[in-house]
Each structure stands twice: as C-alpha cells, then as structure tokens.
Amino acid sequence: MKLARWFSGVDPDAIRMAPAEKRTLFGFYWAASMMSEKSACFDSIAQAACSEELGAWMAREAADDPRFVRAYESAAKALGLPPYASPLQ
C-alpha cells in the first residue's frame, strides 16, 4: 500500500528510504515499465531471460537513456527523488 501511494505521486514520504534507494527503486520501476507485458520477468524474475532483459534496460538507465532521464525528471518532485545526476559523471 505504501509503494502504491508513493508511486501515485500523492505522498513523496509514503516510503522511508534514503534518496539513493528511491532512485534505485524508480530505476527498477522504469525498467519494468519499458518491458513487454509478456516479459519473462513478469512470470519469474529468476529466469535467465528476465535477467538479460532487465539487465539491458538497467544498462540503458545507467547510460542516461533520454527516456529514463525524462521520466525521472518528470517524477522527481512528486516522488521526492533526489535531483538527477548521471551515474556516468
């Protein structure tokens, strides 16, 4: 329930996490939102196919994929995320 409230943008303090942890959680959320609804990850995260697909999306995030940066910056205030800083810097 707390995660749903946080992701809704209604309460940026619904979950108590360090800023870096919130960024990581948002990264997983973004990666999942980019996957096909038929992704192996939605059946079992332990599947090798899931690891490959999730890893590919997480690599895009780490490489400053413009879609991730836009999504992050759009959600930052509502979710109480720290300011965006490229992991490549």
Side-chain angles (χ1 to χ4, degrees), residues 12-47:
D13 297 317
I15 57 172
R16 294 196 183 268
M17 298 176 93
E21 292 172 324
K22 282 185 175 183
R23 180 189 167 113
T24 299
L25 182 58
F26 182 81
F28 277 109
Y29 167 79
W30 178 81
S33 73
M34 298 304 289
M35 293 180 195
S36 161
E37 63 185 46
K38 296 178 191 239
S39 169
C41 291
F42 300 127
D43 289 326
S44 172
I45 199 164
Q47 293 183 37

Side-chain angles (χ1 to χ4, degrees), residues 1-86:
M1 187 65 167
K2 287 182 181 183
L3 281 175
R5 187 164 174 79
W6 182 68
F7 276 123
S8 75
V10 173
D11 184 0
D13 297 317
I15 57 172
R16 294 196 183 268
M17 298 176 93
E21 292 172 324
K22 282 185 175 183
R23 180 189 167 113
T24 299
L25 182 58
F26 182 81
F28 277 109
Y29 167 79
W30 178 81
S33 73
M34 298 304 289
M35 293 180 195
S36 161
E37 63 185 46
K38 296 178 191 239
S39 169
C41 291
F42 300 127
D43 289 326
S44 172
I45 199 164
Q47 293 183 37
C50 174
S51 179
E52 291 171 17
E53 186 177 10
L54 181 59
W57 283 108
M58 297 303 286
R60 288 181 178 112
E61 171 198 339
D64 291 330
D65 184 300
R67 295 167 291 185
F68 174 75
V69 175
R70 279 192 304 273
Y72 187 95
E73 290 177 341
S74 293
K77 184 175 182 181
L79 300 181
L81 297 170
Y84 184 78
S86 171

